[in-house]
Amino acid sequence: MHSSLSLSFSQATAAAIPRPNFAVDSLVFAQSKPLNLRFCGLRREAFGFSPLTKSSSLRVCLPARGQARGKISASVADNGTAPKSFDYDLIIIGAGVGGHGAALHAVEKGLKTAIIEGDVVGGTCVNRGCVPSKALLAVSGKMRELQSEHHMKALGLQVSAAGYDRQGVADHANNLASKIRSNLTNSMKALGVDILTGVGTILGPQKVKYGKVGLPDKIVTAKDIIIATGSVPFVPKGIEVDGKTVITSDHALKLEFVPDWIAIVGSGYIGLEFSDVYTALGSEVTFIEALDQLMPGFDPEIGKLAQRVLINPRKIDYHTGVFASKITPARDGKPVTIELIDAKTKEHKDTLEVDAALIATGRAPFTNGLGLENINVVTQRGFVPVDERMRVIDANGNLVSHLYCIGDANGKMMLAHAASAQGISVVEQVTGRDHVLNHLSIPAACFTHPEISMVGLTEPQAREKAEMEGFEVSVAKTSFKANTKALAENEGEGLAKLIYRPDNGEILGVHIFGLHAADLIHEASNAIALGTRIQDIKFAVHAHPTLSEVLDELFKSAKVQAHASTPVSEPVAV
């Protein structure tokens, strides 16, 4: 699942979220040389590929921080050997995508590693987020295609009325989550990662306790500790969630029923994806958005096009500039009622009566009960404060030695693959190689039909930056209607947009709306990560006919100054 901190919630600030008796982990998913193949941040082992064998060994030569180059040796069979004064080299609290990525990379680096999990392996992404939602979206995509008589006729196909089995669809999502969860667990066990079951709490520097309710706690120590406890759905005050007719994304993924009319509070990633699912399955949808336009987090031009394709032709209406100040579940034969107030004046605007309401107002960090008070760390709106290297900062502004926080819990970028990248970055640091992750190179995607993807800055953000720093911004665009593969699929609706500096060819942002946009964005994100200039990437060769040629044409259409000599700026941590 993706971050979608839309402002469609009551005007009151969020109450402190109590930490229940289980850990929820970060969102947003090996051969002898493991490949970083990821789905929503997941390593390739999640899909059943063979990890390192027990008999294989791993030797890594790295310079220790502040020390001369030394040798770290580890046999995967015994998961390394921790220093005598610690139980482990690394303990990770939370076995979501971020924790999983960090654990596997730590073993590769020869660290004796343990991961603490109080709920189930996989965290939000695998169990209540990206993975099951993609299963539902796969169904909605098929349904939408089969239901489009015009589309099928254009391909010369004749299909009778398409239908679906709700329980079968729900089982598909549940089975996928179970498979990925099992594969993640098995991959860590095969690599020798110790999975410690229980709720993790920091007792002090380099010391953690964990345990289950009713059982004695156990205490373990580690040279370094990573917090990776993720997030939970954010429910504003005034909204009563019953899990049946007023639900969060956690409940919606179970697909226990398909309402005739559902209100979705928030039009970010989560809300958009569920609108795609519900309308494909026959529901009418009403969006409730606090800001003056839908999809506020997207590049404005892409958002307008997406609204024309994803909202206007479908059974969707919307209210913008309003808060859902109170939502009452259906009971005693009465429908769900939603009180709407003006976002600015707070005056009553309307009352809606619907069959169900989905609260998609973003996610809140899951950090209560971590024992942060024991190390003098104060959260900021629930987020653990960190620096650009994910090192935790205490209440006095000082770094807490050997303690890091990754993923949704630090709030830098609430995406599963961002959490995994942060975890890998931390492991690089604790094994002696300084590493700063460039968050502007991390892509994001919304898996609607068609998809939306993006990396870097939006056009307004880029122009604001240009005005502050004194450089020019140019924009290039290409249409899917000129792409052979898209036209062969009868899917020519789409746009790719490049925002760049004409003086030196630096890529500032890329935004795509169209067929397989989520897959296409990675050429742009990798270019940003590697600092590749447009004048260089123009020489890349793309197979024909493929959708990748949309990006090929996009980069070739950019007008970079003939004698651009200004070097591209180094990646900046944000």
Side-chain angles (χ1 to χ4, degrees), residues 166-354:
R166 182 201 58 78
Q167 188 58 54
V169 175
D171 289 345
H172 172 53
N174 183 61
N175 291 340
L176 178 62
S178 296
K179 178 178 176 61
I180 301 300
R181 180 170 61 246
S182 175
N183 289 341
L184 289 181
T185 303
N186 293 337
S187 71
M188 288 193 290
K189 288 181 178 179
L191 290 172
V193 176
D194 288 347
I195 302 176
L196 310 178
T197 304
V199 177
T201 303
I202 298 170
L203 294 178
Q206 301 171 297
K207 185 182 294 185
V208 177
K209 73 173 182 179
Y210 71 96
K212 294 183 176 180
V213 176
L215 296 175
D217 289 333
K218 297 180 180 180
I219 297 176
V220 287
T221 60
K223 184 175 183 297
D224 293 286
I225 297 170
I226 296 177
I227 297 169
T229 48
S231 63
V232 294
F234 170 64
V235 179
K237 288 182 178 180
I239 297 177
E240 181 184 346
V241 173
D242 67 349
K244 296 179 180 179
T245 58
V246 180
I247 58 178
T248 66
S249 56
D250 286 1
H251 309 108
L253 289 167
K254 298 176 183 177
L255 202 69
E256 292 184 342
F257 84 113
V258 178
D260 291 333
W261 184 10
I262 184 169
I264 299 180
V265 185
S267 64
Y269 296 87
I270 300 172
L272 274 179
E273 289 186 350
F274 275 107
S275 75
D276 195 286
V277 171
Y278 280 120
T279 53
L281 298 183
S283 299
E284 294 185 23
V285 169
T286 295
F287 273 118
I288 298 170
E289 172 59 55
L291 297 183
D292 293 332
Q293 75 281 338
L294 296 175
M295 296 174 275
F298 297 89
D299 180 87
E301 186 174 9
I302 295 293
K304 288 179 181 178
L305 175 59
Q307 181 172 335
R308 180 170 64 81
V309 177
L310 301 177
I311 305 293
N312 297 346
R314 300 178 182 178
K315 294 181 179 180
I316 299 176
D317 66 350
Y318 51 89
H319 299 264
T320 56
V322 294
F323 287 122
S325 61
K326 183 179 181 181
I327 300 181
T328 305
R331 59 169 65 99
D332 301 326
K334 297 180 180 179
V336 174
T337 58
I338 304 175
E339 300 293 333
L340 300 181
I341 61 172
D342 188 278
K344 296 176 181 177
T345 66
K346 306 302 183 293
E347 295 178 354
H348 180 267
K349 292 275 291 187
D350 202 355
T351 300
L352 303 181
E353 293 185 347
V354 295

Side-chain angles (χ1 to χ4, degrees), residues 284-546:
E284 294 185 23
V285 169
T286 295
F287 273 118
I288 298 170
E289 172 59 55
L291 297 183
D292 293 332
Q293 75 281 338
L294 296 175
M295 296 174 275
F298 297 89
D299 180 87
E301 186 174 9
I302 295 293
K304 288 179 181 178
L305 175 59
Q307 181 172 335
R308 180 170 64 81
V309 177
L310 301 177
I311 305 293
N312 297 346
R314 300 178 182 178
K315 294 181 179 180
I316 299 176
D317 66 350
Y318 51 89
H319 299 264
T320 56
V322 294
F323 287 122
S325 61
K326 183 179 181 181
I327 300 181
T328 305
R331 59 169 65 99
D332 301 326
K334 297 180 180 179
V336 174
T337 58
I338 304 175
E339 300 293 333
L340 300 181
I341 61 172
D342 188 278
K344 296 176 181 177
T345 66
K346 306 302 183 293
E347 295 178 354
H348 180 267
K349 292 275 291 187
D350 202 355
T351 300
L352 303 181
E353 293 185 347
V354 295
D355 299 308
L358 168 63
I359 313 306
T361 48
R363 300 187 64 83
F366 190 60
T367 54
N368 285 355
L370 270 174
L372 297 175
E373 65 279 2
N374 297 327
I375 48 174
N376 192 34
V377 172
V378 178
T379 61
Q380 300 170 359
R381 295 181 295 114
F383 295 106
V384 177
V386 297
D387 70 356
E388 72 280 2
R389 290 174 174 80
M390 310 304 132
R391 297 177 294 191
V392 175
I393 301 171
D394 70 14
N396 298 320
N398 301 316
L399 295 175
V400 180
S401 298
H402 304 285
L403 182 63
Y404 303 81
C405 180
I406 65 173
D408 289 9
N410 70 32
K412 277 184 172 289
M413 199 172 201
M414 299 178 78
L415 298 169
H417 46 281
S420 181
Q422 290 172 2
I424 290 170
S425 177
V426 168
V427 171
E428 287 291 298
Q429 294 170 56
V430 302
T431 53
R433 178 176 178 268
D434 189 32
H435 186 271
V436 177
L437 179 64
N438 176 15
H439 286 79
L440 288 176
S441 70
I442 298 176
C446 185
F447 294 84
T448 48
H449 296 90
E451 296 173 343
I452 311 171
S453 63
M454 65 220 72
V455 65
L457 304 175
T458 63
E459 185 176 346
Q461 290 170 339
R463 295 199 181 281
E464 181 180 359
K465 177 181 174 68
E467 185 175 349
M468 292 176 60
E469 299 182 11
F471 61 84
E472 292 184 6
V473 169
S474 291
V475 174
K477 304 172 193 175
T478 55
S479 171
F480 278 65
K481 292 178 180 178
N483 181 265
T484 303
K485 186 64 161 50
L487 294 177
E489 299 277 350
N490 196 31
E491 296 283 357
E493 191 73 73
L495 174 73
K497 178 177 181 178
L498 168 66
I499 305 158
Y500 66 100
R501 288 182 59 166
D503 61 333
N504 64 6
E506 180 180 5
I507 301 171
L508 300 175
V510 174
H511 303 262
I512 308 173
F513 174 68
L515 183 65
H516 294 301
D519 300 308
L520 296 175
I521 195 65
H522 297 94
E523 181 173 357
S525 66
N526 289 335
I528 293 175
L530 297 172
T532 306
R533 296 173 297 174
I534 294 173
Q535 54 267 41
D536 295 325
I537 203 171
K538 283 184 177 185
F539 291 101
V541 180
H542 299 73
H544 175 76
T546 62

